[in-house]
Amino acid sequence: MNPHLDILRIMLKFADEMAKQCTDMDDALRLINQRLRKLEKSDSEKTEEIGRLNRIITRKDKEIHSLKAELATTRKELSEAKARITELEGDDGEDGSSYGPGKPEKNSSNSSVPPSQESIAAREKRRTRSLRKPSGKPSGGQPGHKGSTLQTVGTPDRIVMHKPHYCKCCGRPLDGIGYRKIRKTQIMDIRFVMETTEDQYYEKVCECGAVNNCDAPNCRIKYGDNIRALVTYLNVVQCIPFKRIAELISDLSGRRISEGTVQNILKKTGAKSDGAYEEIRQRIERAPVVGADETGAAVGRQLHWNWIFQTDALTYVYQMKSRGMEAIDSKFPKGLPNATLVTDRHKSYFKMNVRDHQVCLAHLLRNAEYLNELDTKQEWSRRFIQLISHAIDLRRAGNITKRKIKTLKTKMKKLLGESLTHLNGEFESFKKGILKVENYLFTFLTNPHVPYDNNASERGVRKIKIKQKVSGCFRTDGGADDFAKLHSIAETAMKNGNSKFNAILAVVKQ
């Protein structure tokens, strides 16, 4: 055998094996490259997904931050609102604490909370419960009560005659046959007609050559006094908003009137009322007994205060931003030197220059009733109510003597001297408030013209709340001032037995 040939065969075999291995390596490298490309694509897609998720996370972080800021603002506003409610519901010097766990709910029967802010449960409770003692009399009109009914008039505005025209028996016409009246019925009704009057103005030339003209207003057309008074009456007395007044007059008369016209009428009527308004203020300044109160009302976006100073015959209402002495001094800089002032325990009233004070006992009885509900086992607040109620009963019966007044004051002094530290803290707070006005609890017993409550003043400012509920806030200071002036004139007219509409009409005609 040839050794070189064997070596050659071996080398060829080795070369074939090497070629085969190279082919296998190429295939392996191709597979590796394919896997690498897939991995790169997958990595790119994951990178894009991570970027998308990061963007979502960033957006959500911003939303969470914005919501946290909004929540913080809402909590702050809620806290301020609660504080404001507490301020508005409480009278300075009175116990204005809110109810909480273990405490009875405050309502109009046991605090100064108005009925409009009571819960449904409190309203139902008040409906079936009253601080008034039952009289034992049946409900309705009492024996001797003078009733009233619709009365006929002697001269009717129009007469309609109803006569038979044919015989019911034979059918013959009844023309020319005499008749007699067997019955009359008067029907009272209202006609809604807008009447147009044309005033024509002429001139005359005298023989001397002078031209004489009648004084004529510089306008083509205008609304008359009656419709101006009606618009004012509907807004001030009935508290109807501008839009509804315009709709009412348009529906009844068939003539369109705009809200702007309503506003202008009120503005002009308010300007004409200044003289009568100032006269009311001056008379109250000289009055011997005056009641006063205040209530909040929104003007634009600000809280203003409507003040009332009133007597049995006069009502004077005005509005200011201030709830302190600044508001009082703006109208009564010298105070009310001749007056016994009947008020709640708002501290500004006790800084005024007045002859004497009487605090509203109705307020105190309501606050003491809350203490009864707060602790049903104690007797202190019940004794306080009994003492105040006894003083009121003496006044109603007219059975007042100096000795009885002295006894009442002695018992009250002893009651207020008792320690209440073993009771709820609100008892001690209530007692401290009473001690500040102790000298003004029984003024009404020595002066028969002084009432023991301030209900008349509260009734006078209630119209402000009605106006606010029906129409919302006053838009301008001027609108709020005009309402106060015209409300004062209308209420003063009513107290003197006169028509509110006629009083407003008299102002319009000036």
Side-chain angles (χ1 to χ4, degrees), residues 446-478:
T446 57
N447 188 338
H449 301 291
V450 175
Y452 52 80
D453 59 40
N454 198 29
N455 292 345
S457 298
E458 292 182 350
R459 287 193 296 269
V461 294
R462 188 175 300 158
K463 181 62 69 70
I464 307 298
K465 291 301 184 183
I466 296 173
K467 174 70 173 176
Q468 192 173 16
K469 286 182 178 297
V470 175
S471 302
C473 66
F474 293 101
R475 295 181 181 178
T476 63
D477 268 337

Side-chain angles (χ1 to χ4, degrees), residues 192-198 222 224 226 253 255:
F192 299 100
V193 179
M194 185 174 288
E195 183 181 73
T196 300
T197 301
E198 181 175 282
K222 64 178 182 178
N226 288 327
S253 67
R255 301 288 185 88

Side-chain angles (χ1 to χ4, degrees), residues 95-115:
D95 177 20
S97 57
S98 61
Y99 66 92
K103 292 185 178 181
E105 179 181 355
K106 286 194 173 183
N107 52 57
S108 60
S109 298
N110 61 18
S111 70
S112 299
V113 175

